[in-house]
Amino acid sequence: MRAALLLPLLLLVATVTALMSGQASIGLPLLWEGLVTGEGPGALMLDTIRGPRVATAIGAGGVLGLSGFIFQTLFRNPLASPDILGFTPGAGLAIVAAITFHLNVPMPLVSAAGGIAAALLVALLAIRRGHETPPLTLILVGLGVGFFSSAFSTFVMTVLPHSEAAEAQRWLTGSLAARDWGHVAQVWWPGLLLVLLAIAQARNLAGLELGNDLASGLGLRTETVLWLLAVTGVLLAATGVAVAGPVPFVALMAGPLGIRITGARTHTSRMLAAAGTGALVLTLADLAARTALPGIVLPAGVMTGILGAPYLLWRLSREMEKGTL
Amino acid sequence: MSRLLWIACACLAMMIISLTVGFRQIAPAVYFDVLNTYDPTDPAHVTLASIRLPRLAAGLIAGAALGVAGTVMQAITRNPLADPGILGVNAGAAFFLLLGTTILGRADEAIVATLAFPGAALASAAVFALGGGLRGDVGPVRLTLAGAALNALLLSLVTGIVLVRQDSLDVFRFWVAGSLTQATTRPLLEMAMVACAGGLLALAVAPQIEALSHGKEMSRGLGTRPGRVQAAALLIVTMTTGAAVAVAGPLAFLGLMVPPLARLLVGHRMRAELVAAALLGATILLGADTLGRLLLAPSEIRAGVMTALLGGPVFLWLARRIRPGATT
C-alpha cells in the first residue's frame, strides 16, 4: 500500500515544484493564496503563466506513458514504444504539414491521422500473411518509418519561411511553451476517455500476454483484441503529440519505471502506474528544461532526449545480457 | 572491370549535369572561357567558379567519403543497416563541430572543421562498444538501436546548443539536413586530402576487412588480427565521415544505400566494391543535389533531405529482410 502511494506523492511534489519555479519564482504561500482566493500573483501564475503548461505536461505525459506500456506489453518487448515504432514521428510530421498548409483542422485529429497512418505503414511493411512477425522486425521497420517521417519533417521545415520554421522546430523537438487551457482540454478530455477505454481492455492485454495459443484457448479472439488495443495505443500517443509534440523517450521509460516505483502487479494498476510515471517524467523534464540554464527556456524534448537516450542504451545492454536481442 | 568503367562514366556524366543545371543558364562556351581567361566581373564566370565548382567538389568529397564509410561499416559490423547517419557517427561529428563553432566563434572554418574528426571517432567507437562490438557480436538490431539512441542524444544536445545560442536557426537547419549550399565556406582542399587518405587506407586493408566480414574465427584462421583491422576500420570511418560532415553536414542514408548497390554491380570483391561505392556515392549525392535544385526552383531542397527520401525506403526494404537473432 505504501508503494502505491509513492507515485501520487511524487507527482504532487513535482507539480507543486513545477508551478513554483521558473523564470519568475513564486513561494508556496502565495500559490496557496492564489488557489484559494483566486486573486494575487499566485492566481496569475496558476491561471495563465504556469498552470496550463504544467497541466498540459501532466496530461501529455500520462497518455504517452500509457501508450508505451500498451505496446511494450502487447509485443512483449521493452523497446516497442510508440516513438521507437515510428508512430509519434508520424504524428509529428502530420502536424508540421498542417502548420505548413495552414489547415483548419483540430490538432488532435491531424495528429491522430498521422499516427494511424504511420502505424498502418509499419504493420503493412512488417507483417507478412501466414508468418509469425517477430517483434524485432516490427521495431526495425518502425525505426525506419520514424527515420523517414523525421526526414520528411525536416524537408517541410526547410521550405518554410524563417518564422514558421522556428515554430515547427520547437514543435518537432517537443515543447510545452505557451500552452493555454485550450491545450489542456485537448489532451485531458480525449485522454481520460482513452485511459478508461484502455483500462476496460486490461484483461484482454493480460490474456494476450500469455501467448496467442493460450489466449485463444481462453476464448479470446486474439486478432480483434490485438487491433483494438493497438488502435487505443496509437490514439493515446497521438493525443499526447497533438499538444506537446513528439517528445522523445517518455513513452519508452514510463512503463518499466512505473512498475519499478509502484511494484504494481495487475494490468489495471500497471496501466495507471505507467500513465502516472509518464506525467511525472514529462513534468520533471519540462521543469528541468526551464530551470537548468538561468535565463534560457529549452523545449522539454531536449531534456527527455538527453535523459532518455542513456536509458535506452542501458535497456539495450540489459536486453543483450538476457540474450533477447 | 568494365562495370567499374561504366560507373565512372555515369559519375562523370553526373558531374557535367551538376555543373550545367541551375538557376542561371550558362552558355557552353563560357565553361572554356572560365578555364582560359577568368573574368571576375562576369556574373556567369563568378557563378561557375565560386558557386557551382565548390558545390561539385563538396559533392564529390562527401559522396565518395560516405560511400566508403558505409561499405567499411557494413562489412566490419556485418550489418546491412549500418550507415554513418543511422549509427550516430554523423551526429557526433556535427555535435563537436557545432560545439567548436559556439566556443571559438566562426573565425577559422578550417580549424573548426577539424573538430569533426574527434567527434566522428568518439561516436563510432561508442556505438560499436554499445552495440556489443567489444564482445564480438554486433547484431544488426542491437547496433541499429544503439545508433538510434546515440543519434537522439547527440541531436538533443545539438538542439540545446542552437536554441541557447539563439543566433541562427538556419545553422541548425543546415546541420540537421546536410547540404552542399555552403560549400564555398568549407575547407574543401584539406577535407579532400583527408577523405582521399581514408579511401587509400581502405583500399590497403580491404583484404583484411573482407576476411573479417566472414567472422572472427574465419579471419583468424586466414591470418588476420581482428583487433588491428577493427582499429584500421575505425580510423577509415572517422576520416571519411569527418571529412564528409565538414564539407556537407550530416547526410544520412547515403552510406546505407550505396554499398548494396555497389555489390550488386561489381560483386563481392572488397577493393572493387570500395571503388564502386566511392563513385556511386558521389554520383547519387550530386544527382540528389541537382534534383533538389530543380524540383522547387528557384528555392531548393537540401541534398540531405533528398538522400533521406531516397534512402528511407531502402532502409525499410532491408529491415524487412533481416532475421532477428541472426548476427549476419
Side-chain angles (χ1 to χ4, degrees):
Chain A
M1 199 59 221
R2 210 185 305 151
L5 278 176
L6 184 61
L7 184 60
L9 197 67
L10 282 176
L11 193 55
L12 184 70
V13 172
T15 309
V16 174
T17 319
L19 284 169
M20 277 164 52
S21 22
Q23 301 283 59
S25 308
I26 185 167
L28 199 53
L30 275 178
L31 213 55
W32 179 251
E33 192 193 309
L35 182 67
V36 177
T37 62
E39 277 166 30
L44 183 69
M45 195 57 89
L46 282 176
D47 210 39
T48 41
I49 302 181
R50 241 169 254 151
R53 179 181 193 136
V54 174
T56 311
I58 295 174
V63 287
L64 284 172
L66 179 52
S67 170
F69 173 76
I70 289 178
F71 286 112
Q72 285 165 338
T73 316
L74 211 53
F75 299 130
R76 273 163 265 153
N77 192 311
L79 300 170
S81 77
D83 33 0
I84 303 278
L85 289 174
F87 308 158
T88 41
L93 170 62
I95 288 183
V96 171
I99 293 178
T100 311
F101 299 117
H102 304 287
L103 284 186
N104 257 335
V105 183
M107 279 303 171
L109 291 184
V110 174
S111 165
I116 287 176
L120 283 179
L121 191 62
V122 172
L124 206 70
L125 289 172
I127 297 170
R128 279 186 250 179
R129 283 231 157 258
H131 291 270
E132 179 96 8
T133 309
L136 290 179
T137 304
L138 217 56
I139 288 174
L140 274 183
V141 170
L143 268 180
V145 169
F147 281 138
F148 196 64
S149 305
S150 309
F152 220 91
S153 299
T154 317
F155 159 64
V156 172
M157 238 178 70
T158 55
V159 294
L160 287 176
H162 190 94
S163 60
E164 280 174 37
E167 193 198 336
Q169 176 53 44
R170 279 200 165 258
W171 237 99
L172 281 176
T173 316
S175 161
L176 291 159
R179 299 295 111 141
D180 55 36
W181 291 106
H183 292 108
V184 178
Q186 265 180 27
V187 66
W188 274 91
W189 291 121
L192 281 176
L193 197 71
L194 287 166
V195 168
L196 290 178
L197 204 62
I199 288 176
Q201 297 176 76
R203 277 169 59 96
N204 291 346
L205 188 60
L208 279 182
E209 217 185 359
L210 298 172
N212 276 356
D213 295 338
L214 203 51
S216 28
L218 289 171
L220 218 55
R221 284 189 301 166
T222 49
E223 201 143 303
T224 322
V225 167
L226 193 135
W227 279 104
L228 272 176
L229 273 162
V231 168
T232 314
V234 172
L235 288 177
L236 276 164
T239 310
V241 176
V243 293
V247 258
F249 296 121
V250 175
L252 180 77
M253 290 191 281
L257 266 180
I259 293 170
R260 183 68 64 85
I261 294 174
T262 59
R265 276 158 212 257
T266 66
H267 276 74
T268 313
S269 57
R270 284 186 169 182
M271 280 177 169
L272 292 174
T277 311
L280 181 69
V281 168
L282 191 53
T283 310
L284 287 178
D286 187 47
L287 174 67
R290 282 187 288 135
T291 53
L293 298 167
I296 291 155
V297 179
L298 288 172
V302 170
M303 272 303 157
T304 61
I306 292 172
L307 299 174
Y311 172 80
L312 174 57
L313 289 171
W314 172 76
R315 196 82 231 179
L316 217 53
S317 73
R318 283 280 303 276
E319 295 297 304
M320 272 161 65
E321 265 157 39
K322 280 196 289 177
T324 42
L325 262 186
Chain B
M1 212 56 213
S2 65
R3 287 269 175 87
L4 273 183
L5 220 58
W6 279 113
I7 300 173
C9 288
C11 186
L12 200 66
M14 201 60 240
M15 285 165 69
I16 294 168
I17 293 172
S18 154
L19 265 185
T20 47
V21 167
F23 185 57
R24 180 185 288 279
Q25 297 292 324
I26 296 174
V30 178
Y31 291 92
F32 296 99
D33 289 351
V34 170
L35 289 178
N36 296 327
T37 50
Y38 177 63
D39 178 5
T41 55
D42 186 339
H45 283 206
V46 175
T47 304
L48 264 185
S50 63
I51 296 175
R52 296 228 184 124
L53 272 176
R55 201 168 178 146
L56 176 72
L60 283 175
I61 298 167
L66 288 173
V68 170
T71 310
V72 172
M73 282 176 107
Q74 292 188 5
I76 214 92
T77 61
R78 295 193 283 163
N79 176 3
L81 298 178
D83 163 81
I86 291 165
L87 294 190
V89 182
N90 276 340
F95 170 62
F96 265 59
L97 231 159
L98 206 64
L99 202 64
T101 340
T102 314
I103 294 170
L104 299 173
R106 269 189 279 175
D108 190 334
E109 292 283 352
I111 291 178
V112 169
T114 49
L115 284 172
F117 297 102
L122 281 178
S124 44
V127 78
F128 190 62
L130 293 167
L134 296 181
R135 301 187 314 182
D137 51 348
V138 272
V141 184
R142 223 174 276 169
L143 199 67
T144 311
L145 275 166
L150 194 66
N151 218 353
L153 175 66
L154 290 165
L155 284 182
S156 295
L157 290 171
V158 167
T159 317
I161 292 179
V162 174
L163 291 175
V164 167
R165 290 280 296 182
Q166 297 281 340
D167 39 7
S168 65
L169 177 74
D170 288 324
V171 175
F172 179 63
R173 287 206 273 178
F174 166 72
W175 278 110
V176 164
S179 149
L180 302 181
T181 43
Q182 306 200 9
T184 28
T185 63
R186 307 283 146 195
L188 291 175
L189 189 65
E190 290 88 338
M191 293 306 131
M193 291 193 309
V194 178
C196 281
L200 288 177
L201 181 60
L203 284 179
V205 297
Q208 281 83 355
I209 290 177
E210 194 164 13
L212 193 60
S213 71
H214 294 302
K216 255 189 180 165
E217 302 313 314
M218 180 76 104
S219 78
R220 276 211 193 84
L222 292 169
T224 332
R225 291 207 222 159
R228 283 197 183 181
V229 184
Q230 277 169 352
L234 194 66
L235 192 62
I236 295 164
V237 169
T238 301
M239 288 166 91
T240 45
T241 311
V245 172
V247 296
L251 290 159
F253 290 111
L254 195 62
L256 175 83
M257 51 180 162
V258 166
L261 208 58
R263 213 165 305 135
L264 201 71
L265 290 173
V266 299
H268 280 277
R269 288 171 299 143
M270 199 65 195
R271 285 214 168 107
E273 253 176 84
L274 280 168
V275 177
L279 289 169
L280 281 171
T283 314
I284 293 177
L285 181 54
L286 287 174
D289 181 52
T290 311
L291 201 64
R293 271 187 281 163
L294 288 177
L295 282 180
L296 287 182
S299 81
E300 50 182 83
I301 305 173
R302 275 145 219 269
V305 174
M306 293 301 296
T307 56
L309 293 183
L310 292 173
V314 178
F315 180 96
L316 287 172
W317 180 68
L318 290 168
R320 268 167 62 96
R321 294 158 52 96
I322 285 186
R323 293 273 133 259
T327 29
T328 37

Coordinates of all heavy atoms in Angstrom, one line a residue, chain B residues 234-268:
Chain B
L234 N 38.0 1.7 -37.9 CA 37.6 2.9 -37.1 C 38.2 4.1 -37.6 O 37.6 5.2 -37.8 CB 38.0 2.6 -35.6 CG 37.3 3.6 -34.6 CD1 35.8 3.3 -34.5 CD2 38.0 3.3 -33.2
L235 N 39.5 4.0 -37.9 CA 40.3 5.2 -38.5 C 39.7 5.6 -39.8 O 39.5 6.8 -40.1 CB 41.7 4.8 -38.6 CG 42.7 5.9 -38.9 CD1 42.7 6.9 -37.8 CD2 44.1 5.4 -39.1
I236 N 39.4 4.6 -40.7 CA 38.8 4.9 -42.0 C 37.5 5.6 -41.9 O 37.2 6.7 -42.5 CB 38.7 3.6 -42.8 CG1 40.0 3.0 -43.1 CG2 37.9 3.9 -44.1 CD1 39.9 1.6 -43.6
V237 N 36.6 5.0 -41.0 CA 35.3 5.6 -40.9 C 35.4 7.0 -40.3 O 34.7 8.0 -40.8 CB 34.4 4.7 -39.9 CG1 33.1 5.4 -39.5 CG2 34.1 3.4 -40.6
T238 N 36.3 7.2 -39.4 CA 36.5 8.5 -38.8 C 36.9 9.6 -39.8 O 36.4 10.7 -39.9 CB 37.5 8.5 -37.6 OG1 37.1 7.6 -36.7 CG2 37.7 9.8 -37.0
M239 N 37.9 9.2 -40.6 CA 38.5 10.1 -41.6 C 37.4 10.5 -42.6 O 37.2 11.7 -43.0 CB 39.7 9.5 -42.3 CG 40.9 9.5 -41.3 SD 42.2 8.5 -42.0 CE 43.1 9.6 -42.9
T240 N 36.8 9.5 -43.2 CA 35.8 9.7 -44.3 C 34.6 10.5 -43.8 O 34.2 11.5 -44.4 CB 35.4 8.4 -45.0 OG1 35.1 7.4 -44.0 CG2 36.5 7.9 -45.8
T241 N 34.0 10.0 -42.7 CA 32.8 10.6 -42.2 C 33.1 12.0 -41.7 O 32.3 13.0 -42.0 CB 32.2 9.8 -41.0 OG1 32.1 8.5 -41.4 CG2 30.8 10.3 -40.7
G242 N 34.2 12.2 -41.0 CA 34.6 13.5 -40.6 C 34.7 14.5 -41.7 O 34.2 15.6 -41.7
A243 N 35.4 14.1 -42.8 CA 35.6 14.9 -44.0 C 34.2 15.3 -44.6 O 34.0 16.4 -45.0 CB 36.5 14.2 -45.0
A244 N 33.4 14.2 -44.7 CA 32.0 14.5 -45.3 C 31.2 15.5 -44.5 O 30.6 16.4 -45.1 CB 31.3 13.1 -45.4
V245 N 31.2 15.3 -43.2 CA 30.4 16.2 -42.4 C 31.0 17.6 -42.4 O 30.3 18.6 -42.4 CB 30.3 15.7 -40.9 CG1 29.7 16.7 -40.0 CG2 29.5 14.4 -40.9
A246 N 32.3 17.7 -42.5 CA 32.9 19.0 -42.5 C 32.6 19.8 -43.8 O 32.5 21.0 -43.8 CB 34.5 18.9 -42.4
V247 N 32.4 19.1 -44.9 CA 32.0 19.8 -46.1 C 30.5 19.9 -46.4 O 30.1 20.8 -47.1 CB 32.7 19.3 -47.4 CG1 34.2 19.4 -47.3 CG2 32.3 17.9 -47.7
A248 N 29.8 19.0 -45.9 CA 28.3 18.9 -46.3 C 27.3 18.7 -45.2 O 26.2 18.7 -45.4 CB 28.1 17.8 -47.3
G249 N 27.8 18.6 -43.9 CA 26.9 18.4 -42.9 C 26.5 16.9 -42.8 O 27.0 16.1 -43.6
P250 N 25.7 16.6 -41.8 CA 25.3 15.2 -41.6 C 24.4 14.6 -42.6 O 23.1 14.7 -42.4 CB 24.7 15.1 -40.2 CG 24.2 16.5 -40.0 CD 25.0 17.4 -40.8
L251 N 24.9 14.1 -43.7 CA 24.0 13.5 -44.7 C 23.7 12.0 -44.3 O 24.6 11.2 -44.1 CB 24.7 13.4 -46.0 CG 24.9 14.8 -46.7 CD1 26.1 14.6 -47.7 CD2 23.7 15.2 -47.4
A252 N 22.4 11.7 -44.2 CA 22.0 10.4 -43.8 C 21.7 9.5 -45.0 O 21.3 10.0 -46.0 CB 20.8 10.4 -42.8
F253 N 21.7 8.2 -44.8 CA 21.2 7.2 -45.7 C 22.1 7.0 -46.9 O 21.8 6.0 -47.7 CB 19.8 7.5 -46.1 CG 18.8 7.3 -45.0 CD1 18.2 8.4 -44.5 CD2 18.5 6.1 -44.6 CE1 17.2 8.2 -43.5 CE2 17.6 5.9 -43.5 CZ 16.9 7.0 -43.0
L254 N 23.0 7.9 -47.2 CA 23.8 7.6 -48.4 C 24.7 6.4 -48.2 O 24.8 5.6 -49.1 CB 24.7 8.9 -48.7 CG 25.3 9.0 -50.1 CD1 24.2 9.0 -51.1 CD2 26.2 10.2 -50.2
G255 N 25.4 6.4 -47.0 CA 26.2 5.2 -46.7 C 25.4 3.9 -46.6 O 26.0 2.9 -46.6
L256 N 24.1 4.0 -46.5 CA 23.3 2.9 -46.4 C 23.0 2.2 -47.7 O 23.1 1.1 -47.9 CB 22.0 3.2 -45.7 CG 20.9 2.1 -45.6 CD1 21.2 1.2 -44.4 CD2 19.5 2.6 -45.5
M257 N 22.6 3.1 -48.7 CA 22.1 2.6 -49.9 C 23.2 2.3 -50.9 O 23.1 1.4 -51.8 CB 21.1 3.4 -50.6 CG 21.4 4.9 -50.7 SD 20.0 5.8 -51.4 CE 20.4 7.4 -51.0
V258 N 24.4 2.9 -50.8 CA 25.4 2.8 -51.8 C 26.1 1.4 -51.8 O 26.2 0.7 -52.8 CB 26.5 3.9 -51.6 CG1 27.7 3.5 -52.4 CG2 25.9 5.2 -52.1
P259 N 26.5 0.8 -50.6 CA 27.2 -0.5 -50.6 C 26.4 -1.6 -51.3 O 27.0 -2.3 -52.1 CB 27.5 -0.7 -49.1 CG 27.5 0.6 -48.5 CD 26.5 1.4 -49.2
P260 N 25.1 -1.8 -50.9 CA 24.4 -2.9 -51.6 C 24.4 -2.7 -53.1 O 24.5 -3.7 -53.9 CB 23.0 -2.9 -51.0 CG 23.0 -1.9 -50.0 CD 24.3 -1.2 -49.9
L261 N 24.2 -1.5 -53.5 CA 24.2 -1.2 -55.0 C 25.5 -1.5 -55.6 O 25.6 -2.1 -56.7 CB 23.9 0.3 -55.1 CG 23.2 0.7 -56.4 CD1 21.9 0.0 -56.5 CD2 23.0 2.2 -56.4
A262 N 26.6 -1.2 -54.9 CA 28.0 -1.4 -55.4 C 28.2 -2.9 -55.5 O 28.7 -3.4 -56.6 CB 29.0 -0.8 -54.5
R263 N 27.7 -3.7 -54.5 CA 27.9 -5.1 -54.5 C 27.1 -5.7 -55.7 O 27.6 -6.6 -56.3 CB 27.4 -5.7 -53.2 CG 28.2 -6.9 -52.7 CD 27.9 -7.2 -51.2 NE 28.1 -6.0 -50.4 CZ 27.3 -5.5 -49.5 NH1 26.2 -6.1 -49.3 NH2 27.6 -4.5 -48.8
L264 N 25.9 -5.2 -55.9 CA 25.1 -5.7 -57.0 C 25.8 -5.5 -58.3 O 25.8 -6.4 -59.2 CB 23.8 -4.9 -57.0 CG 22.6 -5.5 -57.7 CD1 22.1 -6.7 -56.9 CD2 21.5 -4.5 -57.8
L265 N 26.6 -4.4 -58.5 CA 27.2 -4.1 -59.7 C 28.5 -4.8 -60.0 O 28.8 -5.2 -61.1 CB 27.3 -2.6 -59.9 CG 26.0 -1.8 -60.1 CD1 26.3 -0.3 -60.0 CD2 25.4 -2.2 -61.4
V266 N 29.3 -4.8 -58.9 CA 30.7 -5.4 -59.1 C 30.9 -6.7 -58.4 O 32.0 -7.3 -58.6 CB 31.8 -4.4 -58.7 CG1 31.7 -3.1 -59.6 CG2 31.7 -4.1 -57.3
G267 N 30.0 -7.2 -57.6 CA 30.1 -8.4 -56.9 C 30.9 -8.3 -55.7 O 31.3 -7.2 -55.2
H268 N 31.1 -9.5 -55.0 CA 31.8 -9.5 -53.7 C 33.3 -9.4 -53.8 O 34.0 -10.4 -53.6 CB 31.4 -10.8 -52.9 CG 30.0 -10.7 -52.3 ND1 29.8 -10.1 -51.1 CD2 28.8 -11.1 -52.7 CE1 28.6 -10.1 -50.8 NE2 27.9 -10.7 -51.8

